[in-house]
Amino acid sequence: MQVFLQTIIGGVSLGAVYALVALGFSLVYRTMGLVNFAHGNVVTVGAYLASTLYLTSELPFALAMPIAIVLTGAIGLVIERVLRPLENRDFDLMLIGTIGFGIVLDALVIAIWGATGRAVPSPVPSPPLDVFGLRIRTYDLVVLAIAAAATILLVLFLSRTKRGAAMQAVAMDHEAATAIGIHVGRSNAIAFMIGGGLAALAGGLVGPLLYVSPALGGALGIKGFAAAILGGFGSIPGAIVGGLAIGILDAFTAGHFQGYSELVTFVVFTVIIMIRPTGVFGERTVNRA
Amino acid sequence: MKRPSVLALAVVVLAAGCSAPGADEKSTGDGTGPIKIALVDAQSGQLSSLGAWELKGARLAVDEWNAAGGINGRQVQLDVFDDQGDPTTGTNLARKIDSEGYLAMIGTAESAVTIAMAPILKQAEIPNITSGQSPGLVAVGSEFLFLNGPTSTTYDETLAEHIVDKQGIKSIAMITNNGSYGKGEHDAFLKALQARSVTPVADQVVTTDQKDFSAVLTGIRQKNPKVIFLGAEEVESGLIVKQARDLGITATFAGAAPQGTPVFLDTAGVANAEGTIVSSPYLGNDVSDASKKFAAAYKTKFNEEAELHGAKAYDGTQIMLTALKTSNVATGKALADAIRATKYQGLLGSFAFDQTGVGIFATSIGTIKGGKLVAAAG
C-alpha cells in the first residue's frame, strides 16, 4: 500500500509538469489547428532561461520564473510571426516550419549554454514532509500549486475576457470569427505567446526536479504531447487529466515493468487511443486540420 | 531530441553515400599532409558532458604532440564528430570517417555506440581507442578495438571486494539502467556478488531516460539495504540519489566511474552524495606527479578542473599517438599491432594491452567526502 501511494505521489509531480507542457500543445492546436513541434524545444529554452536567471544572475526563484516566462513568451511570438504568412496557405509547410524552429532553438541552446547542462538546486530547501510514512517533497507541492494556479488563470482568461472569448471563437470556426471582425492573426499570436509562457513555466519548474540539459525538452515534449492526445487534443481539462495520467502511468510501469516501462507506457497509451481516438475529453470542433 | 537527430542522420547518410562502399583512400597514410584522427563522441544530448570531457582530454594530448613538432614532422589533425550518444548516428559516422580517410578514431564514451560502430571499423581496419567500459566491448572481439580504461568487470570486482570482503556488508540493493553501460555494470557487479555468495536484496532495472524513481526506491526502502549499487550514467545516478534522500533512504551509494564525477555530485546535491563509494582508476588530480601536471595543463587550457573522463581520453590519445610514432605512421592492422605493443605509463596506471584490447586491470576505491572524491582508508 505504501509503495502504491508513494508511486502515485512520484507520478503526480512529474504529471503536473507534463500537464503544463500538454496545455501549451493544446492551446496552440485549438486556436490554429497546428501542432507546434518546436514546443519541446521551447520548454528547454524556458528551463535554461529560468535556471540562468536563478543561478547565474542569482535572482530569487519567484522573480526568475516570471522573467523567464515573459522572455519565452516572446520567443513564441517570434515563431508565430515567422509562420504567419503560411497561415491558411500551406498547412504542411507550417508544420515543417515548427520542426525547423525546434532544430534552430536546439542549436541555439547548445551554442549559448553548451552541451553539458547544469543541475538546479531546489529553491525550497525544507526537508520532505512525512505523512504516515509517505514522503512528500515540499517542492512538489509548490509545483502542483503553481500548475493548478496557471490552469485556473488560463481557463479564466479564455472564458471571462473578451480576448479569450475571441480565441475560443477562432478555435470553433475561424472563418466565421474573421467575418465578425476578430483578428485571427492576433489570436494565433496570443496562443503562441501563452504556449511559450507555459513551456517556460514547465521547464523552469522541472529544472530543480531533474537536470537542465539540451535533451530536457525532447523527453518532456514527447510525454507532454502524449498527454495532450490522451486527454483529447485541444481540450484544456483534457491536457490536465492527460498529463497526470501519463505521469502516474509512467510511475507505475516503472515499478512493475522496470526496463520495459517506457514500452508498456506507450502500449497502454496506444490501446487507450485506439479505443477512444478523440481522447478523454475529445473536442471534435477543433478538428479542422 | 528525435527530430534534430533525424536531420543530422539524413545529412550523414547523404555524405556517406557520396563515396563508394569500401573505397579506402587512406591517402594520409603515406602522404605528407596532416595525420587525420577522428574523435567521435556525443557533443549534444544527455551524454554530451562525457563527450565534452573526452574532447578536452584528447585535444590536450594532440596539442602537446603538435607543439612538440608532431609525428615525423607531420601535424596531427583531430576532427570532432557528434554521435549524439546514438548508436545509429554512430554507425553512419563510422562509414563517414572511413570514406574520409581517417587513420584512427578516439571515442566514443558510450559503450553502446562503440559496439555499434565496431564491426564497420573492423572491416575498414581503423583502430579505435574507446572510453567505454562495458564487457560487451570485449565480447565484440575486434582486434581494432582498444579500451583506455578497465572494463566494468574490474571496476565492480574491486568494488565488491571493498564492500563485501573488507567492510563485511551483505545487505546490498542494485539499481541499474537497461542501456549498454548499465547492463554491463549489472552483470559484472551481480557476478562479483555471486562469487561471494551474496544475493542482492533488490535488483531493480530502470530505463535510461526515466525521471521518476519513486516506485523503485520505495520498494528498496522497505528492504532497508546498507548499500545501494548504482549502474547508471552521471545524471540519472544523481537523480536517483536525490530522490532516494527525499524518500528518506539513508543507505550508502556505491558505483563505478560516473559516481565520482562533478555532474553526479551537482545533480545529486553534495550533501546527498556524501559517503558514496566509488571504484575508479583515477581518484583525483593529486594522485601522482603526472596527474598534477595533466591537471595543471588542463586547467590552463580549459579553465576547469580535470576529471576521470578527460584523463582517460588523454591516456588513450597519448597511446594512439605513441603507436603512430613507433610504427612510423602505419595504418590498419600494422597500427593496431603497434597499439597492442605499446607499453605506456599513463594517468590511470601502466597500460599493457592483451589480446582483448584491454590495457589496464586495476581500479582504486574512493569515497565522496565534502563534495570531493578522496581515496578510501584501508
Side-chain angles (χ1 to χ4, degrees):
Chain A
M1 190 60 191
Q2 202 186 24
V3 178
F4 178 80
L5 291 174
Q6 191 73 58
T7 305
I8 292 186
I9 293 170
V12 164
S13 72
L14 272 182
V17 175
Y18 296 149
L20 288 175
V21 178
L23 272 181
F25 271 117
S26 272
L27 190 66
V28 169
Y29 180 76
R30 65 188 268 128
T31 312
M32 303 177 69
L34 176 75
V35 181
N36 176 17
F37 281 110
H39 195 61
N41 303 92
V42 180
V43 173
T44 312
V45 173
Y48 266 105
L49 284 173
S51 68
T52 304
L53 291 165
Y54 175 48
L55 294 177
T56 313
S57 310
E58 294 182 3
L59 294 176
F61 195 69
L63 187 61
M65 283 298 292
I67 298 176
I69 290 170
V70 169
L71 290 176
T72 317
I75 294 172
L77 281 180
V78 172
I79 298 178
E80 193 278 332
R81 190 68 200 83
V82 173
L83 295 179
R84 193 181 290 180
L86 295 170
E87 164 86 346
N88 297 328
R89 286 220 185 86
D90 195 328
F91 206 78
D92 296 339
L93 276 181
M94 239 175 138
L95 274 181
I96 294 167
T98 66
I99 295 177
F101 250 105
I103 296 171
V104 169
L105 289 176
D106 196 37
L108 274 179
V109 163
I110 292 176
I112 296 172
W113 287 287
T116 354
R118 68 202 308 181
V120 183
S122 172
V124 187
S126 54
L129 308 173
D130 200 320
V131 186
F132 303 115
L134 293 174
R135 307 275 292 192
I136 303 171
R137 277 179 297 224
T138 38
Y139 182 70
D140 283 0
L141 296 175
V142 174
V143 171
L144 281 176
I146 293 177
T151 312
I152 292 167
L153 281 177
L154 182 65
V155 169
L156 285 180
F157 167 76
L158 288 175
S159 58
R160 297 287 169 86
T161 66
K162 204 174 169 190
R163 184 136 287 159
M167 283 176 68
Q168 298 270 49
V170 174
M172 284 173 196
D173 186 337
H174 90 290
E175 274 167 15
T178 316
I180 58 164
I182 293 174
H183 195 313
V184 175
R186 191 176 295 148
S187 268
N188 295 344
I190 293 170
F192 257 98
M193 186 183 73
I194 298 177
L198 286 169
L201 187 62
L205 285 177
V206 87
L209 286 173
L210 306 176
Y211 180 83
V212 178
S213 77
L216 175 76
L220 291 179
I222 289 171
K223 292 272 164 67
F225 186 59
I229 301 278
L230 188 66
F233 208 10
S235 157
I236 301 295
I240 305 298
V241 171
L244 293 175
I246 289 276
I248 293 171
L249 176 64
D250 227 15
F252 274 102
T253 56
H256 290 285
F257 299 98
Q258 308 221 337
Y260 302 100
S261 60
E262 199 92 329
L263 174 72
V264 176
T265 301
F266 281 99
V267 166
V268 172
F269 166 77
T270 310
V271 169
I272 295 176
I273 288 306
M274 281 167 76
I275 297 167
R276 268 194 78 88
T278 52
V280 182
F281 293 92
E283 291 177 11
R284 289 196 170 277
T285 45
V286 293
N287 228 353
R288 65 185 167 95
Chain B
M1 288 298 97
K2 279 289 172 263
R3 280 165 283 112
S5 57
V6 167
L7 187 86
L9 235 163
V11 173
V12 170
V13 169
L14 279 177
C18 291
S19 66
D24 264 6
E25 356 133 17
K26 296 213 173 38
S27 51
T28 48
D30 31 37
T32 47
I35 299 166
K36 283 167 75 182
I37 295 180
L39 180 130
V40 182
D41 258 314
Q43 302 298 317
S44 60
Q46 191 160 8
L47 299 165
S48 55
S49 49
L50 289 178
W53 287 323
E54 177 138 320
L55 172 59
K56 284 172 183 157
R59 178 73 72 200
L60 190 62
V62 167
D63 286 359
E64 282 175 9
W65 278 72
N66 280 340
I71 297 170
N72 292 357
R74 292 164 67 184
Q75 290 284 296
V76 178
Q77 178 185 334
L78 185 73
D79 291 333
V80 185
F81 298 89
D82 179 11
D83 66 33
Q84 302 165 358
D86 172 37
T88 316
T89 312
T91 50
N92 282 306
L93 287 177
R95 293 195 185 91
K96 187 176 164 73
I97 62 174
D98 176 27
S99 64
E100 293 186 358
Y102 286 89
L103 292 194
M105 177 186 137
I106 303 291
T108 71
E110 180 56 6
S111 301
V113 183
T114 303
I115 290 171
M117 294 174 78
I120 300 166
L121 294 175
K122 183 180 177 181
Q123 202 184 6
E125 302 200 334
I126 297 175
N128 169 210
I129 299 188
T130 174
S131 293
Q133 61 178 64
S134 164
L137 293 164
V138 175
V140 169
S142 165
E143 66 269 37
F144 294 93
L145 182 59
F146 300 89
L147 278 68
N148 64 15
T151 62
S152 290
T153 312
T154 306
Y155 280 93
D156 293 339
E157 178 58 32
T158 314
L159 192 60
E161 188 191 331
H162 178 79
I163 296 171
V164 180
D165 301 350
K166 288 196 184 143
Q167 303 203 329
I169 297 170
K170 298 223 160 80
S171 160
I172 300 167
M174 294 172 62
I175 304 177
T176 53
N177 73 25
N178 62 354
S180 186
Y181 169 75
K183 179 105 184 44
E185 286 291 306
H186 174 269
D187 296 350
F189 191 69
L190 194 61
K191 205 171 142 207
L193 286 185
Q194 280 164 348
R196 291 167 173 79
S197 328
V198 173
T199 315
V201 297
D203 178 2
Q204 299 277 353
V205 178
V206 297
T207 61
T208 46
D209 58 357
Q210 195 165 324
K211 310 283 183 232
D212 171 58
F213 305 95
S214 310
V216 165
L217 288 170
T218 313
I220 285 181
R221 184 176 67 174
Q222 293 180 329
K223 306 265 170 53
N224 198 20
K226 279 216 168 77
V227 168
I228 300 173
F229 171 81
L230 292 175
E233 284 83 357
E234 290 78 3
V235 171
E236 187 167 33
S237 297
L239 287 178
I240 293 173
V241 170
K242 184 160 81 169
Q243 295 185 13
R245 295 291 183 244
D246 283 344
L247 287 171
I249 293 174
T250 52
T252 305
F253 286 91
Q259 283 71 28
T261 60
V263 169
F264 166 76
L265 276 172
D266 284 349
T267 315
V270 169
N272 293 340
E274 183 74 11
T276 301
I277 304 166
V278 181
S279 172
S280 170
Y282 186 79
L283 285 181
N285 297 329
D286 303 324
V287 182
S288 65
D289 288 341
S291 67
K292 280 180 194 156
K293 186 167 157 268
F294 163 74
Y298 192 97
K299 176 95 182 160
T300 316
K301 194 165 179 67
F302 305 112
N303 195 28
E304 62 176 61
E305 298 298 329
E307 51 64 71
L308 168 71
H309 295 91
K312 282 177 75 182
Y314 179 83
D315 271 358
T317 311
Q318 286 285 0
I319 291 166
M320 181 69 84
L321 296 175
T322 307
L324 275 167
K325 185 166 176 65
T326 52
S327 66
N328 221 352
V329 198
T331 61
K333 186 138 184 19
L335 180 56
D337 289 340
I339 295 171
R340 197 167 290 112
T342 303
K343 302 275 181 283
Y344 178 75
Q345 183 60 43
L347 301 168
L348 272 68
S350 5
F351 284 84
F353 287 97
D354 65 5
Q355 282 309 309
T356 62
V358 182
I360 200 157
F361 298 91
T363 64
S364 317
I365 296 293
T367 48
I368 289 175
K369 284 217 165 67
K372 282 229 164 8
L373 184 60
V374 294

